[in-house]
Amino acid sequence: MLEQHNYVYKKEVDWSVLQQGISIPVTIQVIFQNTVNRFIPRGQSKDIFLVLEGKTYKANLVNQRFDERKYPNRKDILQIRYNPQSDIAEKLRSIFEVSYRYIIEHRNSANGNQRIFTKIPEEQKEHLAIYTTEYDDTYYLECITLEDKRVIKQTFMQEDEQEYEASINYISVDSTATIASVSQIVKERRLNRAIGENLKLLYNYQCQICGENVGDRYGVHVVEAHHIDPFVESLNNDANNQLIICPNHHRIVHRAAPEFERKKLIFIYNNGIEERLLLNRHL
Ligand SMILES: [Zn+2]
Ligand SMILES: [Zn+2]
């Protein structure tokens, strides 16, 4: 049942998550964008349910109003809102205790300045994954804590990047099935796969390098998700670390190991060839 959950957003845990809610820009969230407009028109709010660790919590979903004449290209921004005293806020503070304590200590060291913004260091960041479910008013939350990340790091340190990516792109091929029962790994894979699947939809199964939709004429999609910074080293499964490429380009990129220049979106190969991404909608 969980595999059917669609990914909506991976959110860095900050003060807002622990107190009052989450803003979701839906720019690249294909599945979410398709369903949300029929559920909640712009400028309106509705009660929703959040499922976390087997329990259901109440919250509010707001589709922010904005002036379309002023911002013609702007996509909807949704907010999941709750009270600082609500059960869900309390639950999140207890799960993300490390982040909560870090922010409180930082505020105290600034003489209790409530307005100060706390930037949590990269290596201490925790994340919240939000999935849509088969019900428009119900969202499934999954927490990735610092402790989870420690387990994930230990597991993937010795893994091969291509084997790892194969396990994400092809559900049936899982060379590390023996460790798949570890809950942290299951969570990480689910999120990584969901982010990749969402991006495949965003590109309509076309390769970002050559634009081909390989397999289409045979009625299948074989495009793959690739990590710009290898996941086994970076542990970064954010959308901005993933590319959608055809199997041929995927093999070439791993075999030739070109440098990827993020600013220009160019692959630079050792033999001097430079190739710019043909398609880009998310970097
Ligand atoms: Zn290609
Ligand atoms: Zn790859």
Side-chain angles (χ1 to χ4, degrees):
M1 177 197 155
L2 278 184
E3 287 297 343
Q4 286 163 17
H5 289 192
N6 299 312
Y7 152 80
V8 171
Y9 196 49
K10 179 185 169 189
K11 177 84 178 83
E12 252 173 56
V13 173
D14 58 12
W15 187 247
S16 176
V17 169
L18 302 171
Q19 294 291 100
Q20 65 221 22
I22 305 141
S23 286
I24 306 171
V26 295
T27 327
I28 64 164
Q29 309 307 334
V30 182
I31 303 156
F32 194 53
Q33 219 172 281
N34 291 346
T35 55
V36 83
N37 284 341
R38 67 158 192 250
F39 176 62
I40 175 171
R42 212 174 271 166
Q44 289 190 23
S45 72
K46 274 190 181 176
D47 289 339
I48 55 162
F49 300 101
L50 304 174
V51 180
L52 174 58
E53 293 186 352
K55 272 188 79 179
T56 303
Y57 301 87
K58 275 189 182 168
N60 200 248
L61 186 71
V62 183
N63 190 352
Q64 265 186 358
R65 190 188 296 282
F66 63 89
D67 191 341
E68 254 175 291
R69 285 164 304 178
K70 271 193 198 161
Y71 310 99
N73 297 318
R74 197 175 135 178
K75 292 271 171 56
D76 290 334
I77 293 184
L78 288 131
Q79 286 181 322
I80 293 174
R81 287 188 189 161
Y82 38 79
N83 267 304
Q85 291 83 30
S86 62
D87 291 345
I88 182 68
E90 250 170 55
K91 179 72 181 170
L92 288 169
R93 285 194 292 269
S94 85
I95 294 173
F96 294 122
E97 195 201 343
V98 175
S99 294
Y100 185 56
R101 252 190 293 134
Y102 186 91
I103 299 172
I104 293 284
E105 274 167 28
H106 181 251
R107 286 183 173 220
N108 288 344
S109 69
N111 293 324
N113 184 351
Q114 298 297 304
R115 289 204 191 137
I116 194 161
F117 175 73
T118 306
K119 192 164 169 38
I120 298 174
E122 201 59 45
E123 66 280 3
Q124 283 203 44
K125 276 179 184 163
E126 300 182 297
H127 288 93
L128 182 66
I130 306 159
Y131 295 86
T132 53
T133 67
E134 57 185 305
Y135 306 105
D136 286 349
D137 65 349
T138 306
Y139 293 81
Y140 182 86
L141 304 182
E142 219 157 47
C143 299
I144 299 157
T145 64
L146 204 58
E147 172 59 16
D148 292 336
K149 287 198 170 165
R150 197 185 57 76
V151 175
I152 291 165
K153 191 173 185 176
Q154 258 182 359
T155 308
F156 289 115
M157 241 168 20
Q158 302 93 354
E159 249 202 89
D160 176 75
E161 177 73 5
Q162 276 179 278
E163 276 181 33
Y164 171 75
E165 285 186 338
S167 78
I168 297 304
N169 282 298
Y170 303 102
I171 296 169
S172 55
V173 184
D174 196 339
S175 60
T176 52
T178 45
I179 54 159
S181 57
V182 180
S183 70
Q184 284 91 350
I185 308 308
V186 173
K187 269 199 285 199
E188 192 287 324
R189 275 186 207 284
R190 179 156 49 228
L191 179 59
N192 199 341
R193 183 175 294 144
I195 294 172
E197 291 302 314
N198 176 67
L199 289 175
K200 288 176 190 175
L201 274 177
L202 184 69
Y203 289 96
N204 203 14
Y205 305 102
Q206 287 171 287
C207 172
Q208 284 189 257
I209 297 175
C210 65
E212 294 283 325
N213 186 340
V214 178
D216 193 45
R217 68 181 276 237
Y218 306 99
V220 291
H221 303 297
V222 294
V223 78
E224 297 173 351
H226 165 70
H227 296 85
I228 299 168
D229 299 327
F231 177 81
V232 296
E233 291 162 23
S234 66
L235 301 184
N236 182 356
N237 59 19
D238 292 352
N240 68 16
N241 191 38
Q242 295 200 39
L243 286 179
I244 299 306
I245 52 182
C246 69
N248 276 355
H249 274 118
H250 203 176
R251 296 301 170 280
I252 291 163
V253 163
H254 278 275
R255 195 65 74 82
E259 205 184 303
F260 185 65
E261 214 181 288
R262 271 181 182 269
K263 272 189 193 148
K264 295 181 182 165
L265 303 174
I266 288 176
F267 278 108
I268 303 166
Y269 290 80
N270 286 331
N271 68 356
I273 282 192
E274 294 193 1
E275 203 167 34
R276 196 165 187 271
L277 290 184
L278 196 68
L279 302 172
N280 178 44
R281 294 170 197 146
H282 80 285
L283 291 177

